[in-house]
Amino acid sequence: MELSEHIKTANVEDVTLRRPFHPALRGTLCVTSHHLLFSDRKDEASWQLLILLKNIDAIEKSVENLFGYPRAMGSSGTITIKCKDLLVLQLEIPGMEECLNIASSIEALSSLESVTEMYPFFYRPSHLTLNGPWGLSSTEQYYKQTERLWDRWRVSTVNSDYSVCPSYPSAVIVPREVDDDKLIRSARFRQGGRFPVLSYCHHRNGMVIMRSSQPLTGANKKRCKEDELLLQAVIDGSELGYIIDLRSAQQAQQARMTGGGFESKSFYSHWKRIHRHHERGKIVQESLIKLVEACSDPSHSVDRWLSKLENSKWLSHVHSALSTAGLVVECVERDGHSVLVHGSEGTDNTLLVSSLAQLILDPASRTVTGFLCLLEREWIQAGHPFQQRCAHSAYSHARLKQECPIFLLLLDCVWQVWRQFPLALEFSEALLLRLAQEVYASNYGTFLCNSEQERCAAGVKENTHCLFQSLLRPDIEEQYLNPLYEPTDLAIWPSVHPQSLQLWTGLFLRWTEYAQNMEEAREEVWSIVKEHHEQAGPDRTNNTLSTHCDTLTPFENLMDELTIL
Amino acid sequence: MEHIRTPKVENVRMIDRLTRRKSSVGTLYLSSTHTIFVENSEARKETWVLHSLIYNVERLPTNSSGSPLIIRCKNFHVYRLLIPQEKDCLDVLASLTRLSRPERYGELFCFSFNPNLDKELREKAWGFINLKAEFSRMGIPCNLWHVTAANHEYRLCDTYPSELFVPKSASPAVIVGSAKFRSRGRLPVLSYFHRDTSPNLFIASICRSSQPLTGFSARSSDDEQMLQAIMKSNPVSEFMYVVDTRPKLNAMANRAAGKGYENEDHYTNIKLQFIGIENIHVMRNSQQKLIDVGELAAPSMSDFLWGLENSGWLKHIKAVLDAGVFIAKAVAEDGVSVLVHCSDGWDRTAQACSVASVLLDPYYRTIKGLMVLIEKDWVSFGHKFSHRYAHLDGDPKEVSPVMDQFLECVWQLMQQFPCAFEFNERFLIQLHTHIYSCQNGNFIGNCQKERRDLRLQERTHSLWPHLWENRAEYTNPLYRTDHSQTQGVLKPLTTAYCFKFWKGMYGRAEKSVASHQSPADCLNAVREESQQLEEELSSHQEVPRETDAGQGIHMHA
């Protein structure tokens, strides 16, 4: 079925659009295969609103005058559109039939399942060409850049045809002394074939963060010599490594009943296991739903609001993620040990913790490019199933399948770090907000599919544009820079005391009045910094700010006079 | 000094609660005004704790490593000490307990505090804030309002200032009669006069008083005429609001004691509005719960949020802000005058009037303006500082964080309007500390008369010029006089999610060594540097001209 066949009414005149904190507008509504377009009626300087249908999470329709009055009598309908970026719009559409047609088109076209029918495959802006580079880096490039790895580590292409692990990229970094055969055996012993691979090598001491899925020890406590050798090779001569298991000890025990399990002390004698419970899947998705619901009702009393905020548990997930990331950092940076992180599948919380740990440890991941590279390596190439996790957001009435806002949780945690260290990241909140939007609905192919294998099969690289490449174009990148950026080589340990963590108002209250004053403040910061740059001239730009470099000490709460910046 | 048993204890450990590795060993000294901890380290870092800021001292059971002593301060700093010998610990405990609870005004720190100012400068310093000038800034006296001598020598009301501003149309008899019908003689007088510059030309006013002595049926024609006079002094408006900041039930209960609230049938053209700010006892308990939340050792996110909700603190802050918003809206948008009262008219009334003033008048959002506002609405109108902030060892039921709540309302507004305030969070925290510290004479005593009788201006120093001199430290870099947020009336959102836990204030138990990445400091530095560059540039431009003219450059250097 062609996409256009879903469209029964393509155009409606005299539609009224209502948005929060804007006067109602009247204009024309169009539905196309991928967009909803509203343009107001004024001929010159017309204002347009273009919404990707994929951005629409839920629609609610209410139709008046259902008893067959003619259109002239004023039968009309209202469609409420709830977007995945949390915007809620209302459209009053004259004509009951038109209204129902539009609603059904939106319903059908906003939930396309076939990747190649999605908009990124049709997005062809004139300023971009498809032949340009796709993506920012690769396993091989990361290896080449990281001199510390050359001695003891190698790039393995054992997964070049994705047969060893369907969700891994074609190339991974493993200890030099472990050959591909051993990797294959280790992969068979890990859920989904996700054998331990290198995620990060610390520039200060050469200690590494590994990640994997759970070992398939099962009820009979099976073991796998190759897997044990692989982990032994990771720590080499050093006497100890840490396994951070993102489940409680009890959950890890229970996992054995269904074929999963954990690394037992007797077979992995040089590894010390620490359990940290993290919620996953449906529970996290429901947290998001509850939080968004709490934020969308301004009539709550303070007590009720706090109770709903608590009840959503969203901030508890933020707290757990940052705490465990802090634990990983403590192992690597302070105690000088390597770490293996995994939960069950190793595609969600594992990536969350390992990437946050890198942000805290590694100054290179705090630049715009570095951060996007981190996301690319640790989320896209590492096989976070974006398509499944982000199929729906907080409003959908559809039965939840595999949705889970783990990536949103990552962005929230990064925002918390940025709020506590407002000078340490090169990018601003705007980049995080843009990513939060793009991950659910995008013109670009970056967040399509669930793994590199799927992207390869669908021809994503050949037929879509790359978001990260586009964000790094100088004119675009400028919008996402932090005016106060001042690089620091130190680890930036966020305080994880609950009073240091806050609701990410920029995201969750994005479409309220609250956000407007913050926007003014942000502009003010920019104007002060710009004014300064103009006066100081190009030569002196950098050295002023650097005179205010602070020492960043672990677990110390930071002055947050201007929490909004 | 007679209260100090052991002036010096060695090998005391100061414990950092979060990172035990960071605890430091040093010597503890007790002076008559401060406890000083000097680290043994090379830096000899000193920590000074002012005795009048100590809220309580708690000794935990002695263990193998020594006797733990916890010092909690009124500004929410907490110091944890480990004293090797139990006997020393007991001595320190006894001394600090006595020293932190002065029994007479004469014992207060302000009477011994001596910043080496000569007499003339000190006297000048006391004139730094001038309320007469403030009323004249508002345009008072004018053809509608004037100053009355009725309270000369505090004859009419001993908790009011001697100079009161009342409607010109209110006769001396009405003034006296109204005072008689008001609790403690606190009659309705002008607090803020709003001259609108918009085309509306509203001239609404905010007046304040205590509750009327209505009981169940009493009335006073003088008091009724007084309100009528207030209403009439706003010629464009046909009615006025009486804002009773108490919950209605509390106001009704007061009738049994011969007090109460205005009967709308007796007063012509008033609209009565209850706001529902709870009393000082509820607020005291609420704040204690909030402090406990801040002190939880390793709370989960849920513990914290549940504790925050359970304390009710933010709900109370919202109630105070709501009162201010209601008043500001009536005055600025509807052009209606407002009389504000609670029971005595010195706690909730002060809060509501001053929050409304901050919303209405950009001046009160400047450093000097906030000082003036506190001097006017709090100090001069008899807010009982010494009782509320426990300057002397007294009735604990009189203690309540009334001013804390006002400062927090301002802070919450700063969160919503980051560019609207000239001062920063540090300024508010500094004010908070000084309200409790008794270092200066400004906040000693409970009313103007008491301060006069204590001869505070002769015996102590004023805080305001000191803060003013250091204003660079308290300046918000985002503030600009030409900014849209700076001008006009602030209309804050009071949706529940706008209210945040004030970590800078209540999270101080968590903070150890000052380490920070403060964007405000960074921006201030940037600004200063810009100014310097500008000055450099202009001096460079000047130099050649002078050289050409053959003048001595040195004279201008």
Side-chain angles (χ1 to χ4, degrees):
Chain A
M1 189 168 168
E2 286 285 308
L3 292 182
S4 56
E5 289 173 38
H6 289 291
I7 304 172
K8 291 183 201 115
T9 301
N11 268 301
V12 197
E13 302 281 338
D14 253 346
V15 172
T16 307
L17 168 74
R18 295 179 199 282
R19 291 180 296 158
F21 305 104
H22 290 279
L25 285 175
R26 276 157 76 94
T28 308
L29 184 72
C30 299
V31 185
T32 71
S33 305
H34 293 104
H35 289 98
L36 197 62
L37 173 70
F38 176 91
S39 53
D40 93 16
R41 284 194 303 185
K42 285 170 217 128
D43 299 326
E44 294 137 43
S46 78
W47 179 87
Q48 291 191 330
L49 177 72
L50 188 66
I51 293 178
L52 263 180
L53 291 173
K54 185 148 188 263
N55 188 13
I56 298 176
D57 204 25
I59 73 167
E60 286 154 20
K61 47 188 186 279
S62 68
V63 196
E64 284 156 31
N65 295 349
L66 277 170
F67 301 107
Y69 286 99
R71 192 177 161 177
M73 295 294 286
S75 88
S76 73
T78 303
I79 300 180
T80 304
I81 294 180
K82 298 185 168 178
C83 296
K84 290 171 184 166
D85 62 10
L86 308 182
L87 177 65
V88 177
L89 299 172
Q90 278 194 330
L91 294 165
E92 277 171 36
I93 300 172
M96 184 191 79
E97 195 186 329
E98 285 82 352
C99 179
L100 293 176
N101 282 346
I102 299 254
S104 75
S105 303
I106 294 176
E107 272 164 359
L109 293 168
S110 62
S111 51
L112 300 175
E113 302 238 319
S114 156
V115 172
T116 50
E117 284 184 337
M118 289 178 185
Y119 186 62
F121 281 84
F122 300 88
Y123 177 60
R124 297 287 177 267
S126 55
H127 61 276
L128 292 177
T129 55
L130 276 181
N131 306 325
W134 209 97
L136 304 176
S137 102
S138 64
T139 307
E140 287 88 347
Q141 270 169 292
Y142 179 74
Y143 183 82
K144 259 183 225 151
Q145 285 160 8
T146 317
E147 203 183 326
R148 270 201 181 264
L149 289 174
W150 299 347
D151 191 21
R152 289 186 39 230
W153 299 81
R154 69 185 180 97
V155 173
S156 165
T157 51
V158 66
N159 197 38
S160 57
D161 59 355
Y162 308 108
S163 61
V164 177
C165 172
S167 61
Y168 268 172
S170 56
V172 291
I173 301 172
V174 293
R176 190 171 280 285
E177 62 187 83
V178 180
D179 61 33
D180 283 357
D181 280 346
K182 291 203 181 79
L183 296 180
I184 292 171
R185 284 173 195 276
S186 169
R188 285 188 201 136
F189 185 63
R190 295 274 170 177
Q191 184 173 356
R194 294 176 71 93
F195 55 93
V197 295
L198 180 125
S199 153
Y200 171 69
C201 174
H202 191 34
H203 61 286
R204 283 183 194 279
N205 57 14
M207 292 299 132
V208 299
I209 300 176
M210 307 285 292
R211 54 177 162 73
S212 70
S213 60
Q214 66 177 338
L216 302 173
T217 48
N220 313 328
K221 298 194 177 173
K222 267 190 300 198
R223 59 187 288 192
C224 169
K225 274 266 185 314
E226 290 79 6
D227 192 73
E228 292 161 23
L229 282 171
L230 171 55
L231 287 185
Q232 187 56 43
V234 169
I235 46 176
D236 195 29
S238 115
E239 73 270 33
L240 190 67
Y242 285 98
I243 295 172
I244 312 281
D245 192 321
L246 305 175
R247 302 164 296 178
S248 67
Q250 196 193 2
Q251 281 175 318
Q253 279 288 353
Q254 279 166 357
R256 284 176 45 213
M257 298 304 125
T258 49
F262 53 88
E263 295 81 356
S264 75
K265 189 75 202 159
S266 37
F267 305 147
Y268 299 85
S269 55
H270 291 281
W271 289 84
K272 188 170 160 36
R273 210 173 62 244
I274 302 173
H275 290 274
R276 282 285 183 275
H277 174 67
H278 285 251
E279 296 294 354
R280 46 200 286 265
K282 209 169 177 176
I283 294 179
V284 183
Q285 177 71 20
E286 276 164 4
S287 284
L288 177 70
I289 293 171
K290 284 183 192 164
L291 178 64
V292 169
E293 198 252 299
C295 291
S296 55
D297 188 348
S299 68
H300 289 317
S301 71
V302 175
D303 287 356
R304 182 140 181 82
W305 156 250
L306 287 173
S307 147
K308 290 204 145 207
L309 179 62
E310 191 278 311
N311 189 251
S312 81
K313 300 286 180 212
W314 179 264
L315 283 173
S316 301
H317 306 322
V318 171
H319 183 249
S320 316
L322 283 170
S323 306
T324 308
L327 176 68
V328 172
V329 173
E330 193 168 344
C331 295
V332 173
E333 158 105 356
R334 190 179 283 171
D335 299 344
H337 295 296
S338 288
V339 174
L340 167 68
V341 184
H342 71 72
S344 307
E345 292 98 338
T347 53
D348 295 280
N349 280 323
T350 303
L351 308 181
L352 175 65
V353 168
S354 76
S355 46
L356 279 174
Q358 292 179 51
L359 186 80
I360 296 169
L361 279 170
D362 183 12
S365 68
R366 300 178 209 142
T367 62
V368 176
T369 312
F371 181 62
L372 295 179
C373 283
L374 176 72
L375 295 183
E376 193 171 59
R377 269 191 305 116
E378 288 295 279
W379 289 81
I380 293 167
Q381 291 165 2
H384 176 66
F386 279 103
Q387 197 179 336
Q388 291 173 355
R389 298 294 183 257
C390 300
H392 286 290
S393 167
Y395 292 121
S396 174
H397 306 301
R399 205 168 58 83
L400 293 177
K401 289 178 219 150
Q402 304 197 51
E403 288 82 357
C404 179
I406 286 287
F407 188 73
L408 224 47
L409 194 57
L410 169 84
L411 297 177
D412 196 331
C413 291
V414 175
W415 178 81
Q416 306 282 351
V417 172
W418 171 75
R419 211 187 60 76
Q420 293 189 27
F421 296 90
L423 318 186
L425 307 183
E426 191 195 18
F427 50 89
S428 68
E429 183 181 17
L431 181 68
L432 301 175
L433 289 171
R434 171 84 191 261
L435 291 168
Q437 190 156 19
E438 295 284 343
V439 73
Y440 282 97
S442 178
N443 293 343
Y444 299 90
T446 300
F447 291 117
L448 289 179
C449 303
N450 296 303
S451 64
E452 195 171 280
Q453 183 185 22
E454 284 184 29
R455 274 186 289 275
C456 225
V460 167
K461 286 188 185 181
E462 296 76 27
N463 296 300
T464 73
H465 293 288
C466 169
L467 172 68
F468 294 166
Q469 285 286 352
S470 130
L471 291 176
L472 289 177
R473 283 174 39 207
D475 52 324
I476 308 288
E477 189 189 5
E478 198 192 15
Q479 304 167 30
Y480 299 115
L481 293 178
N482 171 10
L484 302 175
Y485 177 54
E486 197 178 290
T488 168
D489 266 346
L490 303 167
I492 47 172
W493 297 68
S495 160
V496 293
H497 195 283
Q499 54 177 256
S500 305
L501 303 179
Q502 284 193 359
L503 177 73
W504 183 9
T505 48
L507 180 68
F508 294 107
L509 302 177
R510 189 175 190 179
W511 308 106
T512 67
E513 240 176 305
Y514 190 80
Q516 290 175 358
N517 295 324
M518 302 304 127
E519 194 49 47
E520 281 187 38
R522 240 169 265 135
E523 280 165 20
E524 193 61 44
V525 173
W526 265 111
S527 80
I528 293 175
V529 173
K530 270 190 191 146
E531 212 171 86
H532 171 256
H533 283 188
E534 278 158 22
Q535 267 163 14
D539 319 332
R540 301 181 60 168
T541 329
N542 289 323
N543 46 32
T544 16
L545 289 172
S546 58
T547 55
H548 302 283
C549 197
D550 288 307
T551 45
L552 307 170
T553 331
F555 291 116
E556 271 172 4
N557 292 329
L558 307 156
M559 290 285 290
D560 49 355
E561 286 174 353
L562 289 165
T563 50
I564 35 73
L565 296 179
Chain B
M1 291 300 280
E2 74 267 28
H3 306 302
I4 300 170
R5 298 187 193 176
T6 310
K8 177 179 172 187
V9 187
E10 285 179 339
N11 290 320
V12 172
R13 186 173 286 272
M14 173 106 85
I15 297 161
D16 187 310
R17 191 162 62 123
L18 282 176
T19 41
R20 275 173 198 282
R21 303 181 194 198
K22 281 232 215 104
S23 67
S24 48
V25 179
T27 306
L28 195 70
Y29 297 92
L30 265 67
S31 81
S32 56
T33 56
H34 290 84
T35 293
I36 305 143
F37 177 80
V38 183
E39 274 180 25
N40 288 348
S41 69
E42 221 162 277
R44 309 287 296 167
K45 192 175 156 275
E46 296 174 7
T47 307
W48 289 58
V49 182
L50 183 60
H51 291 152
S52 47
L53 267 178
I54 293 177
Y55 169 69
N56 70 19
V57 190
E58 184 190 352
R59 190 177 75 90
L60 301 181
T62 303
N63 57 38
S64 57
S65 49
S67 280
L69 194 70
I70 302 176
I71 303 176
R72 292 192 179 80
C73 293
K74 291 170 180 172
N75 60 354
F76 315 116
H77 283 293
V78 178
Y79 302 94
R80 291 175 170 77
L81 302 173
L82 194 63
I83 297 174
Q85 299 297 323
E86 189 175 49
K87 185 193 155 292
D88 290 335
C89 183
L90 286 168
D91 281 353
V92 172
L93 173 68
S95 306
L96 288 184
T97 305
R98 174 63 187 86
L99 288 166
S100 62
R101 287 181 200 158
E103 286 159 2
R104 296 171 295 108
Y105 279 122
E107 288 178 35
L108 291 179
F109 180 44
C110 59
F111 296 107
S112 56
F113 175 66
N114 186 1
N116 281 328
L117 280 182
D118 63 38
K119 189 161 167 283
E120 197 179 323
L121 270 173
R122 186 172 69 183
E123 278 165 16
K124 202 169 149 238
W126 277 109
F128 182 73
I129 303 287
N130 179 346
L131 289 185
K132 223 169 190 165
E134 167 58 9
F135 277 96
S136 98
R137 186 191 68 87
M138 291 184 221
I140 303 287
C142 63
N143 58 339
L144 297 164
W145 294 86
H146 69 164
V147 64
T148 169
N151 202 34
H152 184 64
E153 283 301 314
Y154 311 100
R155 283 183 305 221
L156 203 56
C157 170
D158 58 358
T159 58
Y160 261 0
S162 58
E163 282 192 356
L164 298 174
F165 292 88
V166 292
K168 251 188 183 167
S169 56
S171 69
V174 162
I175 292 170
V176 173
S178 173
K180 281 191 181 139
F181 192 63
R182 291 279 165 177
S183 200
R184 299 174 198 271
R186 294 173 66 92
L187 72 154
V189 294
L190 184 72
S191 167
Y192 177 69
F193 185 68
H194 185 70
R195 264 187 317 176
D196 202 333
T197 44
S198 75
N200 300 324
L201 287 173
F202 292 147
I203 48 165
S205 59
I206 301 174
C207 292
R208 59 184 289 170
S209 70
S210 62
Q211 62 188 335
L213 304 174
T214 55
F216 290 101
S217 59
R219 57 191 290 186
S220 151
S221 88
D222 286 332
D223 195 58
E224 288 159 24
Q225 285 179 48
M226 186 71 189
L227 264 63
Q228 187 72 5
I230 290 170
M231 195 205 83
K232 285 274 165 67
S233 61
N234 178 5
V236 292
S237 153
E238 283 161 2
F239 71 98
M240 70 180 282
Y241 281 111
V242 174
V243 171
D244 190 326
T245 55
R246 298 169 294 183
K248 191 170 182 184
L249 267 178
N250 300 20
M252 285 166 77
N254 263 296
R255 292 194 300 187
K259 300 164 189 170
Y261 54 93
E262 291 80 356
N263 184 333
E264 279 173 291
D265 298 334
H266 297 163
Y267 292 81
T268 37
N269 305 319
I270 66 160
K271 282 189 187 169
L272 193 61
Q273 174 78 33
F274 292 95
I275 299 276
I277 304 175
E278 298 288 348
N279 64 29
I280 58 169
H281 313 294
V282 174
M283 300 308 191
R284 179 177 55 244
N285 294 334
S286 172
Q287 193 190 42
Q288 188 52 54
K289 286 185 191 163
L290 184 78
I291 294 167
D292 294 345
V293 171
E295 272 202 48
L296 288 174
S300 70
M301 202 69 218
S302 293
D303 293 339
F304 173 74
L305 288 173
W306 188 84
L308 189 58
E309 179 197 341
N310 186 249
S311 76
W313 182 255
L314 291 178
K315 175 176 71 187
H316 300 313
I317 296 295
K318 176 172 155 61
V320 176
L321 192 58
D322 279 335
V325 168
F326 179 88
I327 298 165
K329 185 176 172 297
V331 168
E333 286 179 35
D334 310 332
V336 176
S337 293
V338 184
L339 169 67
V340 186
H341 71 71
C342 46
S343 298
D344 291 314
W346 52 43
D347 294 318
R348 287 170 275 200
T349 300
Q351 287 177 333
C353 290
S354 49
V355 169
S357 301
V358 167
L359 295 173
L360 284 167
D361 195 333
Y363 177 62
Y364 297 130
R365 295 173 225 142
T366 64
I367 290 176
K368 179 95 183 269
L370 188 69
M371 296 177 184
V372 168
L373 184 66
I374 291 172
E375 192 69 35
K376 175 170 75 72
D377 279 358
W378 297 80
V379 178
S380 87
F381 274 112
H383 175 64
K384 303 203 290 176
F385 281 94
S386 278
H387 285 167
R388 295 291 176 260
Y389 312 114
H391 292 161
L392 298 179
D393 193 22
D395 182 0
K397 286 207 173 65
E398 279 284 320
V399 179
S400 188
V402 184
M403 192 82 191
D404 301 39
Q405 291 183 317
F406 166 64
L407 294 175
E408 178 157 346
C409 283
V410 176
W411 180 82
Q412 300 282 358
L413 289 172
M414 283 162 61
Q415 302 309 296
Q416 275 194 54
F417 303 100
C419 304
F421 293 83
E422 188 191 17
F423 45 82
N424 56 18
E425 178 184 36
R426 205 175 290 156
F427 185 58
L428 298 179
I429 291 178
Q430 194 63 245
L431 284 173
H432 179 268
T433 297
H434 280 294
I435 282 156
Y436 286 88
S437 74
C438 302
Q439 178 182 300
N440 300 84
N442 303 64
F443 307 121
I444 306 303
N446 296 304
C447 60
Q448 205 179 66
K449 179 170 182 292
E450 209 176 344
R451 273 185 287 278
R452 187 197 62 173
D453 295 346
L454 282 167
R455 292 187 297 116
L456 284 169
Q457 299 213 359
E458 294 156 46
R459 300 166 68 200
T460 70
H461 295 265
S462 172
L463 171 69
W464 303 128
H466 170 70
L467 292 179
W468 183 248
E469 277 158 29
N470 296 309
R471 62 189 176 278
E473 217 180 301
Y474 305 124
T475 304
N476 169 17
L478 297 184
Y479 177 75
R480 279 192 184 179
T481 44
D482 55 355
H483 200 280
S484 65
Q485 282 187 13
T486 311
Q487 293 157 349
V489 179
L490 291 185
K491 292 173 193 163
L493 284 180
T494 56
T495 318
Y497 51 58
C498 300
F499 293 86
K500 294 182 189 162
F501 174 79
W502 190 0
K503 187 170 149 250
M505 180 68 88
Y506 295 103
R508 280 195 270 179
E510 293 309 318
K511 208 174 286 170
S512 40
V513 194
S515 142
H516 39 260
Q517 269 207 329
S518 155
D521 287 347
C522 180
L523 281 174
N524 267 331
V526 165
R527 266 227 162 133
E528 263 168 42
E529 170 128 351
S530 293
Q531 272 162 10
Q532 274 173 16
L533 287 169
E534 215 170 316
E535 279 161 24
E536 247 175 67
L537 195 67
S538 56
S539 69
H540 281 310
Q541 284 163 345
E542 276 163 27
V543 171
R545 251 182 285 129
E546 287 173 352
T547 325
D548 289 347
Q551 297 290 321
I553 303 163
H554 304 288
M555 294 185 63
H556 297 267

